[in-house]
Amino acid sequence: MNIRPRSILLVAPVALALVSWLPHEVIALDFSQGRVTQVVQDVKVLPSGAAARPATVNETVHQGSAVQTGTQSRSELTFQDQTITRLAENTVFTVGQGARTVELGSGQFLLYVPKKAGGAKVKMGSVTAAITGTTVIGHVYESGIVDFTVLEGSACIHLDKWGQAMYVAAGQRVTYDPMLQRLDNPVDVDIQEQMSSPLVADFSRLPSYPLIEEEIAIQRGRGNDALARAVAASGATIQTASAEQFLAAFNSVIVSADPRTVCAIVGRAVRARPDLADRIVVAAITSARPVRGYSKDFKQPVGKEIPCEWVQCILQSAIAADPSSERLIIDAALAAAPMLRDCILAVTPCPGENAFNQALIIAPPPIERPSPVSPEQPPTTSNRR
């Protein structure tokens, strides 16, 4: 009997997207323990299977344990890879059971994950978000409503029960309503206003503060200053420049930039000129270093060509800036650098739109039924004696 699946399992594609959204390199550090780096007023540690105790600075919180803040209280935990979690008042936060997973039971938190830390998954009630090199704020209300805001970077967020998934960019907030049992479409927020949150203002300066400032500059129309100046040299603006003018200016900006800066410039350039998304990616991949092949683990390039990690960062940044161009971007990268096929195809971005994944529908085997027989012609039978 041959059974052919007509579509994809409800949860499997979302889980795959979440895993793929995290960086390809091997994760060396997990969230099995974190160090308490700030305690303000009433903060307790709730060890798994033990009584709650007051939290102290520099103590270690192990996997499965929770940290709880009281009224007008707050706390901060720092993990081995320098990931930072900040808790607002009346918040319960658990160091997750899985590697690089944390859980917000209730209240409000800020999570900063360094760019090369390996990403993280954060569970907020019925919602899970996968983030990579990102600063986010999450809030789980007593009513079950979940707010999730990205300050810099991006996130892939999905609804556990139904498999709904979407991409959330810097300067966007998405809300889960338990009454409707779905994620609303992302809405724009003013990042500058978010900086007045106690989770930012009442703690030390975040390591990602310069990146947040860059996103604020983009929202204020200043994020492409260098690119705008380069385009202006040809007598045009970013929006009026021809493809050749824009790409020439883009190349002049990235030629001496470091990898992280190139990724950021690619994202801004694609946001400014989504009509050139594929050509921007090709220029970023091919302009700086020779493009050759890689070993299967993407870690042993032949010669000094562009690292696979850099290629994937460029692709992720471009797709994050214009999710609707995902297929165009990937195809263009494959055409420009076919020897990097495995590296390129390892990038599986978050779904670019707010949609539910289809449930598994298995076509049943055909049922063999006897052919209809006319009453005038009854079936013949053979009687053997």
Side-chain angles (χ1 to χ4, degrees):
M1 178 178 66
N2 294 325
I3 300 177
R4 297 182 58 192
R6 294 283 182 86
S7 59
I8 302 173
L9 184 63
L10 175 68
V11 178
V14 178
L16 178 60
L18 277 170
V19 172
S20 301
W21 183 252
L22 300 178
H24 184 78
E25 57 265 20
V26 176
I27 297 173
L29 299 173
D30 59 23
F31 286 174
S32 59
Q33 60 183 32
R35 182 171 57 90
V36 178
T37 46
Q38 186 164 335
V39 172
V40 177
Q41 296 194 39
D42 180 21
V43 181
K44 292 182 173 63
V45 174
L46 288 67
S48 178
R53 66 171 187 272
T56 59
V57 173
N58 289 326
E59 80 164 285
T60 299
V61 179
H62 295 279
Q63 192 173 48
S65 297
V67 177
Q68 182 178 40
T69 58
T71 303
Q72 296 184 340
S73 304
R74 58 185 179 273
S75 186
E76 179 185 80
L77 283 79
T78 301
F79 293 86
Q80 293 172 307
D81 62 0
Q82 302 308 303
T83 289
I84 294 173
T85 300
R86 294 174 177 177
L87 312 179
E89 65 176 353
N90 300 320
T91 295
V92 178
F93 176 87
T94 302
V95 179
Q97 298 293 338
R100 305 204 59 81
T101 300
V102 292
E103 183 172 350
L104 180 67
S106 61
Q108 189 175 23
F109 82 113
L110 178 147
L111 180 64
Y112 155 71
V113 179
K115 294 297 179 187
K116 294 184 179 181
K121 286 197 295 184
V122 54
K123 291 184 63 64
M124 299 165 287
S126 300
V127 176
T128 298
I131 63 177
T132 59
T134 308
T135 307
V136 302
I137 293 178
H139 197 160
V140 177
Y141 295 88
E142 291 183 0
S143 63
I145 290 174
V146 177
D147 279 341
F148 182 80
T149 303
V150 178
L151 301 183
E152 59 88 14
S154 58
C156 182
I157 188 168
H158 87 282
L159 185 58
D160 298 338
K161 185 176 181 180
W162 303 112
Q164 183 190 11
M166 72 180 72
Y167 167 83
V168 188
Q172 289 187 325
R173 173 185 295 139
V174 66
T175 299
Y176 166 68
D177 187 337
M179 296 295 294
L180 299 177
Q181 294 192 344
R182 67 166 291 125
L183 297 164
D184 292 337
N185 288 321
V187 297
D188 293 334
V189 297
D190 189 328
I191 300 175
Q192 183 66 65
E193 291 182 0
Q194 303 300 310
M195 301 305 284
S196 62
S197 165
L199 292 170
V200 179
D202 291 355
F203 291 83
S204 60
R205 182 185 176 100
L206 282 165
S208 59
Y209 192 82
L211 299 176
I212 297 174
E213 286 187 318
E214 289 179 6
E215 295 296 342
I216 293 173
I218 291 171
Q219 285 192 332
R220 299 292 189 269
R222 304 189 309 273
N224 281 320
D225 286 352
L227 186 56
R229 288 192 296 269
V231 172
S234 64
T237 66
I238 287 178
Q239 297 303 327
T240 64
S242 67
E244 290 68 26
Q245 288 173 322
F246 184 89
L247 291 169
F250 174 78
N251 283 329
S252 70
V253 171
I254 68 169
V255 66
S256 59
D258 64 83
R260 193 186 76 176
T261 303
V262 168
C263 292
I265 295 172
V266 166
R268 296 172 196 163
V270 171
R271 278 195 290 268
R273 290 294 299 267
D275 58 311
L276 299 175
D278 55 334
R279 298 179 66 178
I280 289 168
V281 166
V282 170
I285 291 175
T286 62
S287 64
R289 298 185 185 181
V291 178
R292 302 192 185 95
Y294 292 81
S295 63
K296 291 183 179 180
D297 62 1
F298 309 133
K299 294 182 179 180
Q300 301 296 328
V302 181
K304 296 182 178 179
E305 51 281 303
I306 180 172
C308 183
E309 177 189 353
W310 192 352
V311 174
Q312 293 181 334
C313 178
I314 289 170
L315 293 172
Q316 290 280 23
S317 296
I319 295 170
D322 185 19
S324 64
S325 295
E326 173 192 336
R327 190 67 264 161
L328 183 67
I329 289 168
I330 295 294
D331 288 346
L334 288 170
M339 66 291 297
L340 302 182
R341 180 179 179 83
D342 289 343
C343 175
I344 293 168
L345 293 181
V347 176
T348 307
C350 180
E353 59 184 16
N354 185 358
F356 290 87
N357 287 278
Q358 297 297 315
L360 176 65
I361 302 175
I362 299 177
I367 299 175
E368 295 184 2
R369 301 180 184 276
S371 299
V373 178
S374 171
E376 289 78 14
Q377 296 179 342
T380 60
T381 57
S382 58
N383 296 323
R384 297 180 179 177
R385 297 187 181 181

